[in-house]
Amino acid sequence: MATNRDDDAFDVLIAEARADRPGPDLMARVLADAAEVQAAQTGPRVAATARQSWLAGALGAVGGWGAASGIVAAGVMGLAVGFYAPDEIDLWLGGDTLSFGETGYAITPDLGELWTEGDDV
């Protein structure tokens, strides 16, 4: 089996990196600094979260004002489509959405022609 010299050099480099580990004094200092920063961050943040209003909590849960406005817009559009008949919406949009007629999308047949052949249902 042939080996690639670049792969061999990479394996040597990885072996050297595994052998070179930080000393225990450096690890102790890094972990002590991390514990100090973590202790400073958790105290005030918990108190601020407890004072939030229900609206701020709900907005934070869905992703902020941008996500909430998208949810509201989708809800309003759903109510509008549900309230008005699909024919009304088709009329507002120029009649190109439901008919697939000559004016808009002539790539599919009229759905009524699929089940009525020779004027029988």
Side-chain angles (χ1 to χ4, degrees), residues 2-57:
T3 60
N4 189 349
R5 288 188 316 163
D6 292 336
D7 289 342
D8 293 339
F10 184 69
D11 290 340
V12 169
L13 183 65
I14 293 296
E16 288 175 4
R18 283 187 185 146
D20 188 24
R21 300 211 180 249
D25 58 337
L26 175 65
M27 291 302 294
R29 287 183 302 190
V30 168
L31 291 175
D33 287 343
E36 184 180 322
V37 169
Q38 185 179 13
Q41 291 294 323
T42 50
R45 194 174 272 203
V46 170
T49 305
R51 289 188 304 252
Q52 283 184 345
S53 68
W54 68 270
L55 180 61

Side-chain angles (χ1 to χ4, degrees), residues 49-118:
T49 305
R51 289 188 304 252
Q52 283 184 345
S53 68
W54 68 270
L55 180 61
L59 285 175
V62 298
W65 282 105
S69 64
I71 291 170
V72 169
V76 168
M77 188 63 189
L79 285 173
V81 169
F83 181 70
Y84 292 108
D87 293 336
E88 289 289 326
I89 304 248
D90 186 45
L91 181 67
W92 288 350
L93 296 176
D96 287 339
T97 57
L98 299 175
S99 66
F100 296 113
E102 306 86 33
T103 59
Y105 309 100
I107 57 174
T108 60
D110 187 16
L111 296 178
E113 293 176 7
L114 295 177
W115 63 78
T116 59
E117 296 178 7

